[in-house]
């Protein structure tokens, strides 16, 4: 009998990302529907990969809040003129996009299809969200919303508070994450906060939204779309761009964050462990990280649980490292969602795209010096759904 | 302002959780405990989430607990709470061994701390629903 890790190793490097596209994010809902953004960005990504639409035989999609619909995979495929042999719908909150790539890579390795389009696109209209939110049936919410749960803000603020109380983490340390990411965003012309540098003191001077989190430690939802193309090891060599090899992935869910033994120890421990095991790598091999930054506190805890530092040492870790694209631990190098914007149900595809861009060596004047191995991570719910992804320049 | 009125978010007193909310309305805290493996189940279900036994017995538990963590909310997201800020959203760990999301009342927001002993406050929120808030207790 073979173990899960033995079997997962057979998925290592069987597929690669070979093309991507990203539309500029926007704070305005605009006149266009999610399907319009999805069709535009899909065409760009397929062209970027040097492929024709007829060569796409797999599609992985995720929910669009502002055009929420059943039968979404086939609706998207039909709309953009694809006839796939593999269709998948992923709905894991912030873990969605990493999980989309994982499923695409596994489907390719299984021989279910050759080339997969993974696409996310959504518009953002706060009014629409309140007046006509998509259905969400969660019995746990009956025990949080009546107490003023404040969306996800309250939970991530409580994680920050507990981390500070237990480990002595400071607001300055958390603010440094946002400030360093903002420095990188100055090299990203389409980032929502391009042209608006931000210091640690600026973060600390911004209004406290949910104590201890300030305004600039909290992500800004927006309209936008991203797509990537994943293909088989056999097809990679014929294509125009250097590939970003999918070397490892892992996913984990732990329900009800309040009842887990320790609120600050999350399923990222397991998702990252699985991704590193598949890749045959360890955190010290990683040369850049694109990890889910809905809040500064999320980044801190993901860094710890993924194994980049010990539990409780996230504060000193971010203080000791230059986290900008030019630094010794490049983190969220296009600004992260905190400075770029958070398009599309918070799925985090923009982090996947930036990881791919860097590993391919196509990040222009924010290219990191060492792009050997990117750790990309998605976090959904309150540290409940986690998916980790390792993208390598070499197989 | 032409903002439509948003009703206060309230739990549905139905299904598996109904006995919990009915007990709270009578100023008691009751939760199901698995008779097979002893797990205290929160949020309430009529089966055990650990061993999947369907034999559970509702029991009254003490409301004594401590603040596990908290956040002072200065900007609410749900419209009903927008003019209620600042307020304290918290997780309370009961001595019985479960952690409950809750609102902390009865003290200044700057006096709240992790580990602070608390006791229940039963807050009538509507004709049908009483919510389980907490306030500081002298240890
Ligand atoms: Zn049981």
């Amino acid at each position: 009998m073979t173990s899960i890790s033995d079997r997962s190793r057979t998925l290592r490097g069987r597929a690669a990302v070979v093309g991507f596209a990203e539309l500029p994010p926007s704070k305005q809902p605009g006149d266009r529907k999610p399907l319009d953004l999805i069709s535009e960005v899909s065409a760009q990504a397929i062209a970027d990969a040097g492929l024709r639409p007829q060569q796409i035989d797999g599609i992985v999609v995720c929910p669009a809040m502002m055009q929420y619909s059943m039968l979404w995979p086939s609706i998207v495929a039909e709309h953009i003129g694809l006839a796939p042999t593999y269709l998948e719908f992923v709905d894991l909150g912030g873990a969605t996009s990493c999980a989309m790539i994982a499923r695409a890579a596994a489907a390719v390795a299984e021989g279910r299809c050759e080339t997969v389009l993974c696409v996310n696109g959504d518009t953002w209209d706060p009014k629409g969200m309140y007046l006509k939110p998509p259905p969400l049936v969660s019995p746990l919410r009956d025990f949080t919303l009546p107490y003023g749960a404040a969306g996800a803000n309250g939970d991530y603020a409580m994680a920050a508070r507990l981390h500070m109380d237990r480990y002595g983490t400071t607001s300055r340390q958390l603010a440094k994450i946002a400030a360093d990411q903002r420095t990188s965003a100055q090299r990203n012309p389409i980032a929502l906060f391009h042209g608006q540098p931000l210091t640690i003191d600026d973060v600390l001077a911004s209004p406290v939204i949910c104590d201890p989190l300030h305004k600039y430690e909290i992500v800004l939802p927006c309209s936008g779309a991203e797509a990537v193309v994943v293909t088989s090891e056999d097809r990679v060599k014929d294509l125009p761009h250097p590939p970003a090899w999918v070397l490892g992935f892992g996913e984990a869910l732990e329900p009800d964050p309040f009842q887990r033994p320790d609120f600050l120890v999350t399923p990222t421990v397991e998702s990252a462990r699985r991704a590193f095991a598949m890749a045959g790598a360890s955190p010290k091999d990683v040369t850049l990280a694109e990890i889910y930054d809905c809040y500064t506190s999320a980044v801190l805890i993901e860094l710890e649980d993924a194994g980049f530092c010990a539990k409780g040492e996230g504060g000193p870790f971010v203080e000791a490292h230059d986290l900008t694209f030019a630094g010794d631990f490049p983190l969220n190098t296009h600004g992260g969602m905190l400075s770029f914007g958070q398009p599309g149900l918070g799925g985090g595809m923009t982090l996947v795209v930036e990881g791919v861009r860097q590993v391919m060596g196509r990040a222009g004047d924010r290219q990191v010096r060492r792009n050997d191995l990117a750790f990309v991570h998605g976090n959904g719910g309150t540290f409940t759904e986690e998916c980790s992804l390792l993208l390598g320049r070499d197989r | 302002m032409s903002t439509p009125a948003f009703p206060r978010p309230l739990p549905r007193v139905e299904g598996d959780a109904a006995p919990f909310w009915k007990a709270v309305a009578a100023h008691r805290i009751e939760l199901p405990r698995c008779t097979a493996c002893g797990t205290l189940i929160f949020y309430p279900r009529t089966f055990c989430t650990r061993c999947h036994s369907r034999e559970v017995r509702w029991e009254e538990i003490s409301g004594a607990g401590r603040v596990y963590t908290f956040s002072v909310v200065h900007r609410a997201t749900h419209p009903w709470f927008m003019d209620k800020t600042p307020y304290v959203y918290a997780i309370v760990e009961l001595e019985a061994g479960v952690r409950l999301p809750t609102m902390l009342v009865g003290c200044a927001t700057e006096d709240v701390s992790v580990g602070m002993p608390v006791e229940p406050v039963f807050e009538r929120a509507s004709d049908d629903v009483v919510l389980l808030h907490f306030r500081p207790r002298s240890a």
Side-chain angles (χ1 to χ4, degrees):
Chain A
M1 210 181 87
T2 56
S3 70
I4 286 182
S5 54
D6 287 342
R7 276 179 280 144
S8 85
R9 287 293 288 270
T10 66
L11 293 171
R12 181 190 187 280
R14 300 287 304 281
V17 181
V18 291
F20 63 84
E22 179 164 61
L23 302 186
S26 167
K27 284 188 263 192
Q28 305 304 323
D31 298 332
R32 302 168 77 206
K33 297 284 189 204
L35 210 45
D36 303 321
L37 304 183
I38 287 169
S39 59
E40 181 181 350
V41 80
S42 295
Q44 288 181 13
I46 294 166
D48 182 67
L51 294 165
R52 288 171 289 110
Q54 291 70 28
Q55 291 172 290
I56 304 296
D57 58 358
I59 182 167
V60 185
V61 300
C62 59
M65 263 183 299
M66 290 301 140
Q67 213 167 28
Y68 199 79
S69 173
M70 61 190 290
L71 304 177
W72 194 234
S74 53
I75 288 167
V76 172
E78 177 180 80
H79 190 70
I80 61 181
L82 302 182
T85 59
Y86 172 79
L87 297 97
E88 180 66 284
F89 178 73
V90 181
D91 187 7
L92 293 170
T96 295
S97 293
C98 286
M100 289 165 75
I101 309 304
R103 279 154 182 71
V108 166
E110 286 169 354
R112 299 175 70 171
C113 53
E114 186 79 37
T115 304
V116 186
L117 173 74
C118 301
V119 60
N120 163 62
D122 209 344
T123 52
W124 173 250
D125 181 356
K127 280 206 202 74
M129 270 303 287
Y130 280 122
L131 296 176
K132 203 168 168 253
L136 175 58
V137 179
S138 159
L140 180 58
R141 285 164 66 88
D142 273 354
F143 293 85
T144 58
L145 290 187
Y147 301 114
N153 293 357
D155 291 344
Y156 284 87
M158 290 198 297
R161 169 57 58 205
L162 185 55
H163 207 282
M164 289 174 165
D165 189 79
R166 194 191 291 171
Y167 301 116
T169 309
T170 66
S171 278
R172 280 199 90 74
Q173 291 168 336
L174 286 170
K176 180 170 184 291
I177 296 170
D180 279 3
Q181 291 188 191
R182 185 65 67 86
T183 299
S184 294
Q186 302 318 306
R187 300 287 184 101
N188 184 0
I190 67 169
L192 286 180
F193 289 98
H194 180 258
Q196 298 173 60
L198 186 77
T199 65
I200 292 173
D201 288 329
D202 292 337
V203 177
L204 298 178
S206 69
V208 174
I209 305 298
C210 280
D211 177 81
L213 295 180
H214 302 78
K215 180 181 174 185
Y216 291 124
E217 300 183 74
I218 298 176
V219 81
L220 184 66
C222 64
S223 304
E226 313 88 12
V228 304
V229 176
V230 176
T231 196
S232 68
E233 52 193 322
D234 301 324
R235 185 164 274 177
V236 162
K237 59 185 180 304
D238 309 325
L239 300 176
H241 297 298
W245 291 101
V246 180
L247 298 182
F249 47 84
E251 137 185 355
L253 172 127
E254 195 171 15
D256 192 347
F258 308 125
Q259 305 309 322
R260 69 173 57 132
D262 186 339
F263 187 48
L264 298 182
V265 178
T266 74
T268 297
V269 173
E270 182 63 16
S271 70
R273 190 187 68 74
R274 284 175 178 257
F276 282 116
M278 187 188 294
S282 81
K284 66 180 183 311
D285 300 318
V286 168
T287 61
L288 69 138
E290 310 292 345
I291 72 175
Y292 204 80
D293 61 329
C294 45
Y295 302 89
T296 51
S297 53
V299 173
L300 193 82
I301 289 164
E302 290 163 33
L303 285 172
E304 293 174 349
D305 286 352
F308 293 106
C309 61
K311 179 51 69 185
E313 291 176 11
F317 180 87
V318 299
E319 209 163 35
H321 292 280
D322 178 349
L323 309 175
T324 70
F325 73 95
D328 60 329
F329 191 87
L331 173 80
N332 295 347
T333 47
H334 75 329
M337 298 191 299
L338 285 170
S339 281
F340 179 85
Q342 184 192 41
L345 203 67
M349 188 64 95
T350 186
L351 297 168
V352 172
V353 165
E354 177 67 6
V356 168
R357 198 185 268 129
Q358 292 284 359
V359 168
M360 285 182 167
R362 298 171 62 192
D365 62 2
R366 64 171 187 275
Q367 180 66 47
V368 301
R369 280 193 298 272
R370 294 179 56 219
N371 65 344
D372 312 52
L373 186 63
F375 178 81
V376 186
H377 184 78
N379 154 58
T382 305
F383 300 112
T384 39
E385 304 95 353
E386 309 286 352
C387 187
S388 306
L389 193 62
L390 285 161
L391 300 173
R393 191 190 56 202
D394 304 310
R395 203 169 156 198
Chain B
M1 288 282 282
S2 60
T3 313
F6 287 89
R8 180 173 188 170
L10 293 173
R12 295 157 294 183
V13 183
E14 62 183 34
D16 285 4
F20 175 87
W21 293 113
K22 285 175 180 160
V24 170
H27 293 203
R28 290 193 313 274
I29 306 173
E30 291 182 13
L31 283 176
R33 189 185 290 281
C34 174
T35 57
C37 78
T39 298
L40 194 61
I41 302 156
F42 182 85
Y43 53 90
R45 285 90 145 174
T46 51
F47 58 92
C48 175
T49 50
R50 182 163 174 266
C51 76
H52 279 185
S53 164
R54 309 210 62 98
E55 302 295 318
V56 301
R57 190 183 307 132
W58 287 81
E59 70 177 45
E60 182 169 3
I61 59 170
S62 161
R66 288 175 183 275
V67 172
Y68 182 73
T69 184
F70 69 97
S71 171
V72 181
V73 178
H74 292 273
R75 204 169 297 175
T77 46
H78 191 285
W80 188 84
F81 283 98
M82 283 182 180
D83 60 2
K84 314 291 187 293
T85 58
Y87 63 83
V88 183
Y89 177 55
I91 301 173
V92 160
E93 186 167 73
L94 295 184
E95 285 168 7
V98 290
R99 296 193 197 119
L100 312 180
T102 188
M103 183 181 281
L104 221 60
V105 298
C107 69
T109 56
E110 59 270 26
D111 291 340
V112 180
S113 62
V114 170
M116 186 172 85
V118 292
E119 63 187 13
V121 179
F122 297 94
E123 146 91 6
R124 178 156 293 282
S126 76
D127 287 349
D128 306 315
V129 179
V130 173
L131 295 175
L132 181 56
H133 290 173
F134 284 82
R135 69 181 170 209
R137 118 183 103 90
S138 42

